């Protein structure tokens, strides 16, 4: 147990020593994948289109051109007319619509940034999954190599009558199981690698530096709540959408005021030319019915959604913080359990040395190896889960 403790702590210190160099590489790879991600590129164009559509709603109506020609009796002659007119809403409507479009444009931009933050977290989490898979693969390969050499040794001894058939079968079973674990670990690692390539827009990417988890400093719960509340783009977007909904109520009220049209007329009748203007007035007695009530209902809905979004952000942060805190305590238990190593000895090598020296039978050796596998695998999983929680907490800066 003591030797296992020494070896696991040795692995811990080796991982921690690589954190500083790894962290920069981790962030640079995340940024590279983010810049090549096709889903995000498509969403970027959609956000621009949504902003332009919001502004397009505040355009003037198209001008109208009318031409009229009438034929008269032979002794009277013909007459024709040409007119150009333009319709206008009440002047305050355009200002109100402009404010609504501005709020919506800001909200759409923030919603894109929220999707970008979500995609960055997805990429970071997938890279963390890949690192964990590689560490598990390294563990599986170490065990596979160890048991393969031992199986070869016992197989040779069995042929010379120096090992029992039971020992031969035991080591063969363990060797096959170790090979299966290594194959499964390799399959998972390769699957995650292909997923990362897909996130990178189908482009290959060098992941050789992804050998240890990034080091992220843990802050207080209040720090994360304040940071997410102040910087979460989705939450800020919901506030702008709420402002846009309230402004729509004002627009609906302004739409209740009359609109008007102004036009120029040119008539030609019996050879005489006439120039003039025409002015029209539209009374929105029917077209604006229920619009203000609908806008008020929409504003109430968006206000509730904004509050719900804020509560959801706080709940998410508190959940992740509690998870990270719990995992930190469990990792700290490892630190308190395992003393500082004095020679950094390889635990598997020590076990093998004890077995080869006749200090333990094969069944005990295999038990110790399996115990070591479980302990180290659990440790890697704890580091993995802790990293995922910290990545979520630190998605808006640390």
């Amino acid at each position: 147990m003591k030797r296992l403790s020494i070896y696991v702590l040795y692995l811990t210190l080796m991982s921690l020593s690589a954190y500083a160099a790894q962290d920069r590489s981790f962030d640079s790879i995340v940024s590279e994948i983010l810049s090549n991600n096709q889903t995000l590129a498509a969403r970027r164009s959609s956000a621009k289109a949504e902003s332009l559509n919001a502004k397009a709603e505040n355009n003037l109506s198209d001008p109208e051109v009318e031409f009229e020609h009438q034929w008269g009796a032979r002794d009277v002659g013909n007459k024709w007319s040409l007119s150009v007119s333009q319709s206008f809403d009440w002047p305050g409507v355009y200002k109100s619509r402009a404010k609504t479009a501005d709020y919506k444009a800001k909200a759409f931009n923030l919603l894109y940034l929220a999707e970008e933050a979500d995609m960055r977290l997805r990429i970071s989490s997938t890279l963390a999954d890949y690192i964990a898979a590689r560490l598990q693969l390294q563990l599986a390969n170490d065990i596979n190599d160890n048991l393969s050499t031992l199986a070869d040794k016992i197989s040779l001894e069995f042929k010379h009558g120096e090992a029992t058939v039971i020992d031969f079968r035991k080591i063969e079973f363990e060797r096959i199981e170790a090979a299966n674990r290594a194959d499964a670990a390799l399959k998972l690692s390769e699957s995650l690698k292909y997923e990362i390539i897909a996130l990178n827009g189908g482009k290959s990417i060098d992941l050789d530096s992804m050998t240890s988890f990034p080091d992220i400093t843990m802050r207080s719960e209040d720090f994360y709540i304040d940071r997410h509340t102040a910087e979460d783009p989705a939450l800020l977007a919901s506030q702008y959408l709420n402002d846009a909904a309230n402004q729509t109520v004002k627009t609906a009220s302004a739409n209740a005021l009359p609109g008007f049209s102004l036009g120029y007329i040119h008539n030609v009748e019996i050879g005489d030319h006439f120039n003039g203007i025409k002015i029209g007035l539209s009374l929105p007695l029917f077209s604006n019915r229920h619009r203000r009530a609908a806008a008020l209902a929409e504003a109430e809905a968006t206000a509730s959604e904004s509050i719900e979004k804020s509560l959801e952000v706080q709940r998410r942060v508190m959940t992740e913080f509690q998870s990270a805190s719990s995992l930190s305590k469990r990792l700290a238990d490892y630190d308190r359990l395992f003393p500082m190593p004095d020679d950094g000895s390889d635990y598997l090598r020590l076990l093998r040395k004890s077995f080869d020296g006749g200090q333990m039978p094969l069944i005990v050796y295999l038990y110790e190896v399996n115990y070591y596998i479980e302990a180290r695998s659990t440790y890697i999983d704890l580091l993995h889960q802790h990293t995922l929680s910290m990545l979520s907490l630190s998605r808006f800066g640390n």
Side-chain angles (χ1 to χ4, degrees):
M1 182 64 185
K2 181 178 180 180
R3 284 175 292 186
L4 173 61
S5 304
I6 290 174
Y7 185 71
V8 176
L9 184 56
Y10 170 70
L11 289 175
T12 306
L13 293 176
M14 289 296 291
S15 297
L16 291 175
S17 67
Y19 273 168
Q22 171 71 10
D23 185 48
R24 185 176 183 180
S25 177
F26 187 91
D27 288 340
S28 64
I29 288 179
V30 170
S31 297
E32 178 183 349
I33 296 173
L34 197 66
S35 65
N36 293 327
N37 186 265
Q38 294 303 302
T39 300
L40 206 57
R43 188 64 192 91
R44 204 160 35 237
S45 298
S46 296
K48 182 177 180 180
E50 289 171 343
S51 297
L52 292 175
N53 284 331
K55 293 179 180 180
E57 295 176 0
N58 195 36
N59 290 334
L60 291 171
S61 60
D62 296 325
E64 295 183 3
V65 178
E66 294 182 2
F67 175 78
E68 181 179 341
H69 188 279
Q70 298 180 17
W71 289 268
R74 179 177 301 178
D75 55 344
V76 176
N78 302 329
K79 64 178 181 179
W80 58 271
S81 66
L82 176 68
S83 66
V84 179
S85 62
Q86 175 71 55
S87 299
F88 302 91
D89 290 320
W90 190 261
V93 172
Y94 295 103
K95 183 177 180 180
S96 182
R97 285 178 182 164
K99 288 184 177 180
T100 301
D102 183 58
Y103 288 139
K104 287 183 177 181
K106 290 178 179 178
F108 294 145
N109 181 60
L110 285 166
L111 287 173
Y112 164 74
L113 293 178
E115 293 194 34
E116 183 181 66
D118 289 342
M119 182 59 71
R120 177 179 287 275
L121 179 61
R122 178 184 172 186
I123 293 169
S124 300
S125 299
T126 305
L127 282 175
D129 294 343
Y130 176 73
I131 292 170
R134 286 189 63 175
L135 292 175
Q136 295 286 5
L137 175 60
Q138 181 183 349
L139 170 61
N141 285 334
D142 289 344
I143 300 301
N144 189 36
D145 292 343
N146 181 277
L147 294 180
S148 292
T149 57
L150 182 57
D152 292 340
K153 177 178 180 293
I154 293 179
S155 177
L156 184 61
E157 292 176 349
F158 176 68
K159 290 179 180 180
H160 292 84
E162 299 172 358
T164 67
V165 66
I166 294 178
D167 285 345
F168 174 73
R169 293 292 179 86
K170 284 179 182 177
I171 192 61
E172 282 298 311
F173 289 149
E174 291 295 334
R175 181 188 63 79
I176 294 173
E177 182 61 27
N180 289 336
R181 282 197 298 266
D183 289 343
L186 177 60
K187 183 178 179 180
L188 176 59
S189 178
E190 289 298 302
S191 176
L192 288 167
K193 181 179 180 179
Y194 296 142
E195 183 177 347
I196 291 170
I197 291 175
L199 290 171
N200 194 43
K203 301 177 181 179
S204 60
I205 185 169
D206 184 8
L207 299 174
D208 289 343
S209 61
M210 297 290 96
T211 56
S212 60
F213 297 108
D215 183 24
I216 306 175
T217 303
M218 189 168 185
R219 307 296 187 90
S220 67
E221 183 179 51
D222 289 341
F223 172 86
Y224 291 118
I225 291 176
D226 292 343
R227 180 61 62 90
H228 283 243
T229 301
E231 298 187 15
D232 188 338
L235 182 58
L236 298 176
S238 68
Q239 296 170 359
Y240 275 116
L241 289 175
N242 188 36
D243 291 337
N246 290 329
Q247 190 62 43
T248 301
V249 175
K250 297 179 181 179
T251 302
S253 298
N255 276 326
L257 298 173
F260 58 93
S261 62
L262 182 64
Y264 163 76
I265 304 174
H266 180 78
N267 285 327
V268 177
E269 186 173 350
I270 317 180
D272 293 326
H273 292 260
F274 301 88
N275 294 294
I277 61 172
K278 63 177 182 179
I279 298 175
L281 188 68
S282 62
L283 302 177
L285 300 177
F286 308 106
S287 62
N288 203 45
R289 182 177 294 179
H290 305 307
R291 282 188 179 181
R292 189 174 186 280
L296 281 171
E298 181 66 23
E300 292 174 0
T302 55
S304 298
E305 290 173 0
S306 180
I307 295 173
E308 179 64 24
K309 184 64 178 178
S310 179
L311 294 174
E312 171 61 22
V313 168
Q314 294 182 46
R315 184 202 64 79
R316 184 189 68 209
V317 171
M318 288 187 290
T319 300
E320 288 292 354
F321 183 82
Q322 291 303 316
S323 175
S325 299
S326 177
L327 290 167
S328 294
K329 292 177 181 177
R330 293 177 64 186
L331 289 171
D333 289 338
Y334 275 87
D335 296 333
R336 289 193 296 268
L337 178 62
F338 303 141
M340 178 68 68
D342 51 9
D343 59 358
S345 299
D346 187 320
Y347 185 71
L348 285 177
R349 183 177 60 82
L350 292 175
L351 281 177
R352 181 65 177 271
K353 185 177 180 180
S354 297
F355 173 75
D356 291 340
Q359 298 175 11
M360 65 174 64
L362 178 62
I363 187 65
V364 175
Y365 174 78
L366 295 177
Y367 171 81
E368 291 291 342
V369 168
N370 285 319
Y371 177 79
Y372 164 74
I373 295 172
E374 182 179 355
R376 185 174 167 189
S377 181
T378 299
Y379 175 65
I380 293 172
D381 186 61
L382 285 175
L383 287 174
H384 179 206
Q385 296 303 319
H386 182 262
T387 299
L388 292 178
S389 292
M390 291 306 302
L391 287 171
S392 179
L393 286 172
S394 307
R395 62 194 301 192
F396 301 120
N398 192 27

